[in-house]
């Protein structure tokens, strides 16, 4: 073969390669340029960004054609496979599907984003492994680019729970077991809100999102400043009642450890006079309380309503102390020696365990009755009140010891009676059910208006004032954004989020970065992800 033939072959190969580059850029909606020019033009070493894009939850959601959303399921062409990986932290579990986090319509991204780089057609998708403690390797996430939507993809059969309980994160105690923890987060549509890419210095902190940023994002709408998630309302559907029962069942299923009887406890009880001092210490404390509360308890009934309420509280506390003292005296009378008390304490866990097992059986019966109903229908108030009363009346009482302060001794021994009910007041997950109904067009009307008015302002808030973000400076938890042109472009900032029931590590955020040259070539496999926590 002559040098002339070699030259022709090389030229043809270059033309084919250049044409493929040109077509790929065209499909992605990149600015028009000849393929050979795009191939030879090198990405700048750093990029100046003028804008950032906030992924603002729609509140209320608009049930319209898919554009951009968090959670739920991806919409990918049939030929695109659901990303899988082998976790570096758990290689023994083999290859597993990653969890879908977000899908973003690139056509809605502003031209200025990423300094003009990146696609303006198609969709960007993010998948992660939320069950890793240090998800910084390529096994922990995938960024996909698809040029068109496909049908909503069903999750793989082996997709595991979104939180397996190994690391800190969102709580799923309303699920009876890990196997019942959802494998998919709720789907929440978002609007892409363009904001200036600015950075400020406040003392030693670098600030990207201004204070109370949610009030700017939701201008004119009520935004809660309460940093804590909403409390669980009472059930308003049968599924809510099921959540309550499953929460109780999970609590009752936990193993009960034997009460530890320390040698120091036995030694103290056997000291001369110590046993008798237990009731004397309670009498002395009650006498101090009586002296302090005397002004509130004596004299004519106050005319002021606040004072009358204070007197009522003081009387109730006095009665509580009297009843508690009588119960302790009766307990000590039944167990008049240290040996008798220690023997009782050592045996007390047996009836406690037996009651828990029997209570689980009663809860299972209640659960069967609830499952016979249409779960996503309103539960009559009288039906819920009757169920709640049965749970609260299912109680067990037992005595245990505790340490109290007495005459400078912080470990003085005393005893108290504890009453526990099947309804132990745990979080029930109904707040999550409210959010699930809210983003479901068919079930949103089930939410009582009073519940909705409490939750919507909280869903508009930002956890630690940190939004979900694409492009621009990142809101660091442990790191800080540096002013000036950047060498890494922010593809995704996915923050902890009560509305999504996302708590990344210790209330942190995921950051996905890509260098300008890789973004220009749509080589999203070169992206890097980090997790920062408080």
């Amino acid at each position: 073969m002559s040098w002339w033939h070699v030259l022709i072959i090389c030229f043809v190969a270059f033309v084919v390669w250049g044409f493929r580059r040109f077509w790929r850029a065209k499909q992605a909606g990149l600015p028009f340029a000849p393929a050979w020019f795009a191939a030879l033009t090198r990405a700048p070493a750093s990029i100046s960004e003028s804008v950032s894009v906030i992924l603002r939850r729609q509140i209320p959601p608009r049930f319209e054609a898919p554009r951009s959303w968090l959670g739920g399921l991806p919409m990918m062409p049939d030929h695109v496979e659901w990303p899988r990986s082998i976790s570096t932290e758990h290689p023994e579990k083999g290859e597993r599907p990653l969890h879908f986090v977000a899908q973003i319509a690139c056509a809605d991204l502003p031209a200025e984003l990423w300094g003009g780089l990146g696609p303006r057609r198609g969709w960007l998708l993010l998948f992660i492994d939320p069950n890793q403690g240090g998800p910084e390797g390529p096994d922990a996430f995938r960024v996909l680019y698809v040029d068109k939507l496909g049908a909503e993809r069903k999750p793989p059969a082996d997709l595991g729970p979104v939180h397996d309980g190994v690391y800190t994160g969102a709580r799923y105690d309303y699920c009876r077991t890990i196997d019942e923890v959802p494998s998919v987060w709720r789907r929440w549509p978002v609007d892409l809100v363009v904001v200036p890419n600015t950075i400020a210095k406040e003392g030693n902190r670098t600030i990207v999102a201004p204070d109370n940023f949610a009030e700017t994002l939701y201008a004119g709408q009520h935004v809660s400043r309460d940093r804590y998630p909403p409390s669980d309302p009472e059930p308003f559907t049968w599924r809510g009642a099921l959540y309550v029962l499953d929460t109780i069942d999970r609590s009752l299923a936990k193993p009960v450890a034997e009460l530890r009887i320390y040698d120091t406890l036995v030694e103290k009880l056997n000291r001369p006079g110590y046993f008798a001092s237990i009731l004397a210490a309670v009498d002395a404390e009650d006498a101090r309380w009586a002296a302090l509360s005397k002004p509130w308890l004596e004299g004519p009934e106050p005319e002021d309503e606040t004072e009358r309420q204070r007197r009522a509280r003081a009387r109730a506390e006095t009665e509580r102390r009297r009843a508690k003292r009588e119960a302790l005296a009766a307990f000590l009378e039944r167990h008049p020696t240290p040996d008798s008390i220690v023997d009782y304490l050592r045996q007390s866990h047996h009836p406690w365990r037996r009651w828990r097992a029997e209570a689980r059986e009663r809860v299972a019966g209640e659960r069967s009755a609830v499952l016979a109903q249409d779960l996503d229908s309103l539960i009559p108030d009288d039906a819920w009140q009757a169920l709640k009363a049965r749970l609260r009346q299912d109680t067990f009482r037992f005595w245990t010891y505790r340490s109290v302060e007495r005459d400078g001794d912080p470990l003085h021994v005393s005893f108290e009676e504890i009453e526990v009910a099947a309804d132990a007041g745990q979080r029930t997950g109904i707040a999550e059910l409210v959010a699930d109904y809210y983003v479901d067009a068919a079930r949103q009307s089930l939410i009582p208006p009073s519940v909705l008015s409490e939750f919507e302002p909280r869903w508009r808030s930002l956890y630690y004032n940190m939004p979900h973000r694409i492009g621009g400076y990142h809101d660091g938890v442990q790191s800080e954004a540096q002013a000036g042109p950047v060498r890494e472009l922010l593809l995704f900032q996915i923050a902890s989020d009560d509305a999504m029931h996302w708590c990344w590590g210790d209330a942190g955020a995921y950051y996905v970065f890509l260098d300008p040259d890789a973004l220009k070539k749509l080589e999203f496999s070169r992206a890097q992800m980090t997790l920062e926590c408080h």
Side-chain angles (χ1 to χ4, degrees):
M1 181 181 295
S2 67
W3 66 269
W4 179 250
H5 290 94
V6 172
L7 182 60
I8 292 175
I9 292 172
C10 291
F11 177 79
V12 171
F14 179 80
V15 170
V16 172
W17 174 76
F19 180 78
R20 291 178 64 187
R21 301 273 304 179
F22 165 76
W23 182 251
R24 187 178 180 186
K26 186 176 186 301
Q27 289 293 100
L30 293 171
F32 176 80
W36 60 268
F37 182 80
L40 295 177
T41 303
R42 298 183 62 187
S46 58
I47 295 290
S48 293
E49 297 184 86
S50 60
V51 298
S52 178
V53 172
I54 305 301
L55 311 183
R56 182 185 64 190
R57 284 187 300 279
Q58 292 180 7
I59 302 175
R62 301 188 302 274
F63 302 108
E64 56 191 9
R67 295 300 298 172
S68 299
W69 64 93
L70 303 172
L73 295 170
M75 299 180 71
M76 306 181 291
D78 292 341
H79 69 275
V80 179
E81 296 183 355
W82 190 295
R84 305 174 67 91
S85 76
I86 298 177
S87 168
T88 55
E89 292 188 19
H90 305 286
E92 74 283 355
K93 296 182 179 180
E95 188 178 70
R96 299 180 297 169
L98 298 177
H99 288 77
F100 172 71
V101 173
Q103 184 157 343
I104 305 300
C106 297
D108 297 338
L109 298 174
E112 306 93 330
L113 187 71
W114 297 316
L117 298 177
R120 296 301 183 273
R121 295 180 184 175
W123 277 262
L124 276 181
L125 294 82
L126 176 63
F127 295 77
I128 68 169
D129 179 354
N131 294 311
Q132 288 201 43
E136 298 183 352
D139 59 294
F141 76 104
R142 293 287 190 281
V143 176
L144 299 185
Y145 170 72
V146 298
D147 57 1
K148 60 182 179 181
L149 287 179
E152 188 172 78
R153 183 71 61 86
K154 291 183 178 180
D158 58 341
L159 184 63
V162 292
H163 181 54
D164 62 8
V166 174
Y167 297 103
T168 56
R171 297 185 62 179
Y172 287 91
D173 287 350
Y174 58 93
C175 301
R176 291 182 301 169
T177 65
I178 290 295
D179 292 337
E180 294 184 7
V181 173
S183 60
V184 175
W185 292 292
R186 65 180 59 97
R187 183 187 189 278
W188 206 307
V190 296
D191 293 322
L192 306 189
V193 179
V194 181
V195 298
N197 184 41
T198 59
I199 192 171
K201 201 76 174 178
E202 292 185 4
N204 295 325
R205 295 193 309 153
T206 298
I207 304 298
V208 178
D211 289 342
N212 303 316
F213 189 34
E215 296 179 8
T216 300
L217 293 176
Y218 295 98
Q221 297 177 284
H222 183 203
V223 177
S224 173
R225 292 194 179 186
D226 192 341
R227 61 175 292 185
Y228 298 103
S231 300
D232 290 306
E234 291 205 332
F236 51 90
T237 65
W238 288 101
R239 189 178 298 277
L242 182 65
Y243 276 33
V244 172
L245 294 171
D246 286 353
T247 301
I248 295 171
D249 181 80
R250 180 164 180 154
S251 176
L252 293 173
K254 294 178 180 178
V256 177
E258 292 189 24
L259 183 66
R260 300 185 66 178
I261 309 297
Y262 294 97
D263 292 341
T264 53
L265 169 66
V266 178
E267 184 270 330
K268 280 188 173 183
L269 292 177
N270 281 285
R271 290 179 188 174
Y274 194 94
F275 192 80
S277 72
I278 295 173
L279 200 58
V282 172
D283 290 337
E285 179 61 29
D286 287 349
R288 284 192 291 270
W289 157 258
L292 290 173
S293 59
K294 186 175 181 179
W296 302 333
L297 295 172
E298 295 182 349
E301 190 71 16
E303 295 183 1
D304 181 72
E305 177 62 23
T306 301
E307 292 301 315
R308 285 200 300 270
Q309 292 179 1
R310 177 179 292 181
R311 171 170 286 190
R313 290 194 297 269
R315 286 172 174 169
E317 175 63 13
T318 300
E319 177 60 25
R320 188 193 69 83
R321 286 174 172 270
R322 183 195 63 77
K324 188 176 180 180
R325 196 268 182 199
E326 288 183 358
L328 176 60
F331 173 74
L332 295 175
E333 186 176 348
R334 291 193 302 272
H335 303 283
T337 66
D339 289 343
S340 175
I341 286 184
V342 170
D343 184 63
Y344 168 84
L345 293 176
R346 284 177 174 157
Q347 298 299 320
S348 62
H349 66 282
H350 295 302
W352 167 231
R353 286 176 175 172
R354 186 166 54 253
W355 175 83
R356 289 169 65 91
E358 293 169 352
R360 281 195 75 190
E361 293 178 1
R362 291 188 286 271
V363 168
E366 300 282 9
R367 192 173 188 275
S368 296
V370 169
L371 288 173
Q373 307 291 329
D374 177 1
L375 293 180
D376 292 317
S377 65
L378 296 176
I379 181 173
D381 184 65
D382 59 346
W384 163 244
Q385 294 301 330
L387 172 57
K388 181 169 69 172
R390 291 194 297 273
L391 294 172
R392 289 189 172 175
Q393 292 167 8
D394 194 347
T395 63
F396 181 81
R397 302 174 70 93
F398 64 98
W399 285 84
T400 188
Y401 72 92
R402 63 187 181 95
S403 298
V404 297
E405 172 83 25
R406 180 175 182 262
D407 297 334
D409 178 9
L411 299 178
H412 178 73
V413 177
S414 187
F415 300 92
E416 65 176 345
E417 188 177 29
I418 296 176
E419 180 180 79
V420 293
D423 172 21
Q426 307 100 323
R427 286 193 67 93
T428 60
I430 298 179
E432 304 310 316
L433 184 62
V434 175
D436 288 340
Y437 283 168
Y438 187 67
V439 294
D440 185 333
R443 301 188 296 174
Q444 190 187 84
S445 61
L446 294 170
I447 306 173
S450 59
V451 173
L452 202 58
S453 64
E454 177 187 358
F455 275 68
E456 283 187 322
R458 292 172 179 265
W459 288 330
R460 294 187 188 105
S461 64
L462 298 175
Y463 202 89
Y464 282 100
N465 200 46
M466 183 177 293
H468 308 301
R469 187 188 294 272
I470 291 178
Y473 297 120
H474 75 290
D475 304 86
V477 176
Q478 294 179 340
S479 62
E480 291 192 356
Q482 301 299 315
V486 296
R487 296 178 182 271
E488 289 186 322
L489 300 173
L490 182 67
L491 287 184
F492 289 99
Q493 171 181 293
I494 304 295
S496 292
D497 184 337
D498 284 332
M500 290 298 300
H501 204 43
W502 283 345
C503 182
W504 310 129
D506 185 12
Y510 286 106
Y511 307 92
V512 181
F513 293 97
L514 188 63
D515 70 73
D517 183 62
L519 181 57
K520 184 177 182 180
K521 298 174 183 177
L522 303 183
E523 294 178 350
F524 294 105
S525 61
R526 291 168 55 183
Q528 298 182 358
M529 185 176 77
T530 60
L531 168 64
E532 294 183 2
C533 302
H534 289 278

